[in-house]
Every structure is written in C-alpha cells, then in structure tokens.
Amino acid sequence: MATTKTEPKLAFVANGKQKFKGYEGLTREQLIQAYRLMYMSRRIDDREILLKRQQKIFFQMSGAGHEAVGVAAGLALKAGYDWFYPYYRDRALCLALGVEPYQMFLQGVGAADDPSSGGRQMPSHWSYPSLHIVTQSSPTGSQILHAVGCAEAGRYFSRHPKAAETPASSADYRQFKEVSFRNDEVTYVSLGDGTSSEGEFWEAMNAAALGKLPVIFCVEDNGYAISVPVEVQTAGGSISRLVSGFPNFHFEEIDGTDPIASFAAFQRAAKYCRQGLGPAFVHAHVIRPYSHSLSDDERLYRPDSERERDAQRDPVTRTQMYLLRERMLDDKGINQLEKEVEAELQTAVDRALEALPSAPETVTNYLYSPNVDPTSAAFDTQPIAETAAEGKKPAAKTMADLINATLRDEMKRDERIVIFGEDVADCSREEYLKQKLVKGKGGVFKLTFGLQCEFGNDRVFNSPLAEAAIVGRATGMATRGLKPVVEIQFFDYIWPAMMQIRDELSTIRWRSNNGFSCPVVVRVAIGGYLTGGAIYHSQCGESIFTHIPGLRVVFPSNSLDAAGLLRTAIRCDDPVLFLEHKRLYRESYGRAGYPGPDYMIPFGKAKIVQPGTDLTVITYGAVVPRALQAAQKLEREQGVKVEIIDLRCLNPFDWEAIAASVSKTNRALIAYEDTLSWGYGAEIAARIADQLFDQLDAPVSRVAAKDTFVAYQPILEDAILPQPSDLYRAMKDLARY
Ligand SMILES: Cc1ncc(C[n+]2csc(CCOP(=O)(O)OP(=O)(O)O)c2C)c(N)n1
Ligand SMILES: [Mg+2]
C-alpha cells in the first residue's frame, strides 16, 4: 500500500503571505463579490444541514472548503458560453455562474419547480441548461468523458458550422435540438482526488491529450475520498505528478483555498485552451471541513489535530481576513454583507419550503423524447424498388451491405452524424489512403468501410480501445446536438461501457427533467453460431439492456429490417442500442434489394414472418431463420401451421402483435439465443400468462441457450445454443399438448 504523501509546492502556505502583489486582474469589487459568493455558498450548506436535521430536505452534500476554487473558476470562465461539468462540491462555482440560492433549495426539497431535475435528483446534482451547466449524475467521474465529448462537439461545429443549422425540411431529432457553439469555448470539468482513480478519468485525459481539446480538468483535492486518504488512493500521493507526462497539457497546481491564486490559474488555463493549444489540468488543494456528507462523521478517522490544521486554511475565513487586511471592507462592511446574505437566504428558504412536489403521475415523463415518437407512422415508409440493368434482377444485398448503405445515406443527409469506435475508420494514417497504398479496413466486420474515405476523418475516426470512452464521449457530443453513431466491436466487450449506458446515456433526459438529451446510436455486433466464437465472441444479453428505462433496443434479423430500423434509430431523438447479429451480416437468409435513402420502420412493430393458425413462435435475431426452418419441417411432416413473429425491436416491443397471434393460435413459444433463465422470454411469458391466460390451451414455453457460456468446440456450441432441432421439438410438443 502506498504510504507516501507528496506535499504540494504552493505559493500560499497556511495563513502565510502571498508571493505576488495585486489581485491578478480582479478588481476590489470583484473580490468582495467573490467573498459574498463564498460566504453564501457556506451558509447555504449550513442552512441545508439544518433543514435536513428538521427533515425538511432529504439529503445534503456540502461544498464547504471548496468555495474559493469554485468562485475563481466561475469568475474566469463564462456562463452560457463555456460549458460546465461540475461535481457535487461545486456549489460556489454554480453560484458564481448565476444559479440562485432559491433554485438550490428547490432541489433540496425536491420541488416540481427545481430547474435541475423537478425533484428527481439529490441536491448538489447541478443542471442548468441556459448557463451551460450540464446535468450531473452520482457515479464518481462518469461526467469526465462527457466533458471531452462536449469539447469535441464544440470543435466539430466550429469546423462544420453548417451542421449546426436545422434544415427546415428535416423531420428528425434536429428540429428539437438547438445548437450553439463558440470558436474559443472551453469545457470545465471537476472531480475529487479520489475520483482520479477511476479508469474513466484516465480515458478522458488520454482522449483530451490526443485531440488537444479545450477541456479544463480541475481536481479538487481535499485529501480524502470519504475516509480514504490521498496517499492510499493515488500512488505517491500527488495526482499532479502522475499526470505530468500527458502531452499537450497546461498544468497548474494551486492552493484552492486562495481565490486570487485560483483565479490566476484558471485565467492561464482558459487562455491556453481558448488558443487551441490543448487541455489544461488544475490541481487545487482544498479542505473538507464538514465530513464527506451528513451520513459521515470524519472524527472516526481523522484526529482533531489534523482537522484543526485544515481549519487554519478555511477559504471563507481566510478571504474575509484578506479583505480586512487589504482594507476592502471593514468589520462593519463584513457584517453588512453577511446580514444581506442571511436575509436573502431566509427568503429563499421560506419560498422553497412552500414549493410543491411534482405530481406522481409525471414519474415516467421524459424517459423518452416528448417530441419525436419513433413508433409513429412518420417512421413508416415504403421501400423503393431498385431498378436493375435490363434483364437483371436487382442485387440482393446482405445485412452488412445495407447497414453500410444506410450509414452512407444518412451521413450525406445529416452533417451532424459522426462515426467512431475501434477500427471503424478506413485507415487512421490518411496518407496511405491518399497515396492509394491501402484500401482501408472500415471495421472488423467492414460495416463502416469506405465512410472515412467519403466523409473525411473529422466524421469517421478510430477511437482508443476504451469502450466507456466511446459511449461517454458520444453522450457528451449528443448533448450538444451531434448525432454520434458509435460502434462497440463485440457485445462481449460492452461491459466497460455499462456504467455509461446504464447511469448516463439512458438517464440524462429523465434526470434533467428534459433539460438535456443525448440521442446516441450505439451499434453492437452480437451473438453466436460462429463455430469457434467461444465465450468472448458469442455473447447475447439483450435483456440486461431492455431492463433499462430510457433506452431503445433494436435487434433486426434481415437486411431490409436492419436498414429501416437503423434509419429510424438515427433520425429519432432517443438513445438506441442497435444490436447486429454477426452471423446474419452476410447470411444468404434475409437479403434484399436496396430500399432507398428514406426507408424506415417504426420501433415496436413486429413482423409476421410466416402466418399460421396452430401455434405462435415469438422470436428475433438469428433464431428467426432457425425457427422458420423448424416450422417448415413441422408443417411438411405433421401439417402444423406455425405463426412466426419476428419482434425486430425489443424495447419497445409489439405486444399487440403477440396478443393478436396468441389469441388466434392459443399456444405460445418464445425462442431466443440468450441463456434461458431471467432472459428476454421471461418477460413475454409473464405477460402472456398475465394478460392472455384465458386464451391459452397450453403452458407458455421457451427455447433458449443452456444456462452456461458458449464453448469454442463446435459440438459444444451446438449443444449450448438453440438449434432448429430444439425448436422443432418444442413446437411439436406444444402443438400436441
Ligand atoms: C462510481 C462510484 N463509486 C463510489 C461512489 C460512492 N462515493 C461517493 S463520493 C465518494 C468519494 C469521492 O471522493 P473524492 O473524489 O475525493 O471527492 P470528494 O467527495 O472528496 O470531494 C465515493 C466513494 C460513487 N458515488 N460512485
Ligand atoms: Mg476528496
């Protein structure tokens, strides 16, 4: 275990003298205002603590000890111009950017009028769209990748200003996404010292350095992550030392309890970023006088001597002393200022305590876009028959061909689309393409082949091998109005991105009460039946994602559906997980002619692959052709007519189609490739049992993979995944029951 703690080399020592003279460009009025904001921030914390003890609010997270660095950042940067991804200790920053105390108390009481979340999020989870303070979640550090994506979006729009416009004719998400950007904008993101241990922090630092992005990373180092001290958290005890090797960065290490030194550091950092030289890293040493939260008592792990030492550096008292010493205010002036603040807070608390909560019936509002409904008829268009050369049939295209064609068509139509992921570019070393030395790769399955060559590497590019960063950056870009269509190379490796998908991508619209949205498309190669794919190239697991509110999940089984549904995914206003079965990419089953550049299929509409009267099979993905094979055999041999429903879209799913079919056949079999237990079929079976019980002539049955992993040896793989013979047997048994 690391036990060394590096003492920072700072201009300020505790209660010591400043090295420099003057106020680093701040006027005396600004310094008084800075003190007012710092004092106000501390007093809001004190008020909230009282309210929590009186059970009038339900949680409290203080920004105590972090006031100076927050106010300094707020003074150096511009609200509504720059972008902000603060964390829960940034109360003073938010006040400096223009958030009102009343708004903070509204979040505390969970009021309908809370502009951050309408009572959905804990206090200190900031979200103020007009100030460009972007909604924050509770997982430590997951916002850092969004900040990188946000900065990338700003730069993209400044290089492609036409993309920011909304074409009058575009009937898609763009109608509801006003884009604003500045050529010299900066994105601020903050985190605690403990949070710098999260992998996503390092992924974000790497991406920002690679892209020379204008992001200011601010580590507010109070020496503790709850009870874990910095020397146990950070090797060598200094995050500054660990990150010092990142190229393209401007570094600052400051006493974050000193507003003037902090302001100067942010000024330099912002200047560096605005000039396009790269990102900046501000390491601010602060204190944490109020324990981690109201649920924590730091006396259990910090002796009085240590706490008293910290108290000497309290930024509020230090700044007050400074104002007195510099004769900016006298005792009377300080008293007057404090009285004014107290009066303002009293009014704000009184008003907030009268505020009403949201109505319970609103709890599902804004899980999805209130403006664009991808299940609607607007997304129901017909394929245009391709004209072929005389005497020839139009070429039947594979799923891979039509996904590639759809991406190409949509990129032509919408300049906000960017594609990135692992290996998706044709060739990162563009000169090889220009010199025609190489043909280009375009994805391990070649689904994005040719897109970089056609649209340039601003729009199609390789990402580092970091799945959380792929989804996290995309989320940040999409909140700014871009439409990232990213690729996760194999479903088996989606798990590093799970936090981003579950706690960020799917929650942003809901938790910000429609203040922000992030309609990203995540394309994922999924599934087995590969003979040799084994445990880490064959996974399914779609039900883990259909279990997430706020996320659309699509799983096509053939070329035409893949094209129509991918277009809907891209044009809609919700995050979509688009699952592409690897085995179906180039299968002869389900090929189709090119359906034209506007072909769309609404979400939640199943397709009857084969009509029948004797039993219903509900399935999707690669089980569709296998079920068809089994059903045709059963009909040939026994005359049983099976109706096969291909769900195509798993969330939302087409309950009406299932109900209509089962009401007709009175028998239901759900077939899916994932492991049987707790799988997607369980929900459908439960609903059929619940809502169609009277219609059933037989128990609802399921065919799925065995509850194990997919093995490498093909004989074992066959035994594990559902085969046509398993489906045949299950259909026969069900028909006979
Ligand atoms: C991913 C994740 N793990 C654990 C937690 C619980 N948690 C909340 S705050 C915190 C400590 C954070 O410490 P630091 O980053 O130093 O910030 P500070 O609170 O000291 O300002 C922990 C462990 C969390 N919110 N998210
Ligand atoms: Mg800390």
Side-chain angles (χ1 to χ4, degrees), residues 398-399 401-407 410 556 558-570 578 593-596 598-601:
T398 64
M399 186 189 278
D401 293 334
L402 287 192
I403 288 175
N404 181 269
T406 306
L407 292 171
E410 289 304 295
N558 60 74
S559 308
L560 202 59
D561 287 354
L565 290 164
L566 181 57
R567 185 163 285 106
T568 301
I570 291 172
F578 194 84
Y594 169 67
D598 285 307
Y599 177 54
M600 284 184 287
I601 297 171

Side-chain angles (χ1 to χ4, degrees), residues 66 87-89 191-195 220-226 228 286 288 292:
H66 294 230
Y87 86 119
Y88 47 82
R89 302 260 184 243
L191 55 138
D193 45 295
T195 299
E220 299 179 24
D221 184 351
N222 55 23
Y224 277 93
I226 308 185
V228 182
V286 295
R288 194 197 67 182
H292 172 71

Side-chain angles (χ1 to χ4, degrees), residues 1 65 131 133 140 176 214 245 282 308 316 435 460 466 485 494 496 509 511 539 543 598 620 632 655 663 708 718:
M1 188 189 293
L131 300 173
I133 299 175
T140 48
F176 306 97
V282 178
E308 279 156 18
V316 177
Q435 294 164 25
V460 183
V485 181
I494 200 168
R509 190 190 289 276
R511 76 183 195 221
Q539 290 175 25
S543 65
D598 285 307
Y620 53 91
Q632 285 167 353
W655 172 248
S663 302
T708 180
D718 280 358

Side-chain angles (χ1 to χ4, degrees), residues 315-366:
V316 177
T317 41
R318 279 184 70 178
T319 307
Q320 187 196 96
M321 304 287 278
Y322 186 77
L323 295 187
L324 288 167
R325 216 167 42 236
E326 294 287 311
R327 299 186 200 292
M328 291 185 209
L329 285 178
D330 56 13
D331 283 345
K332 225 171 104 201
I334 296 277
N335 279 341
Q336 176 67 19
L337 178 150
E338 293 180 354
K339 250 179 78 196
E340 283 165 17
V341 169
E342 298 298 344
E344 185 181 338
L345 296 190
Q346 188 60 52
T347 315
V349 169
D350 291 345
R351 278 177 68 207
L353 288 176
E354 282 169 15
L356 297 174
S358 297
E361 48 283 12
T362 63
V363 292
T364 54
N365 286 0
Y366 309 130

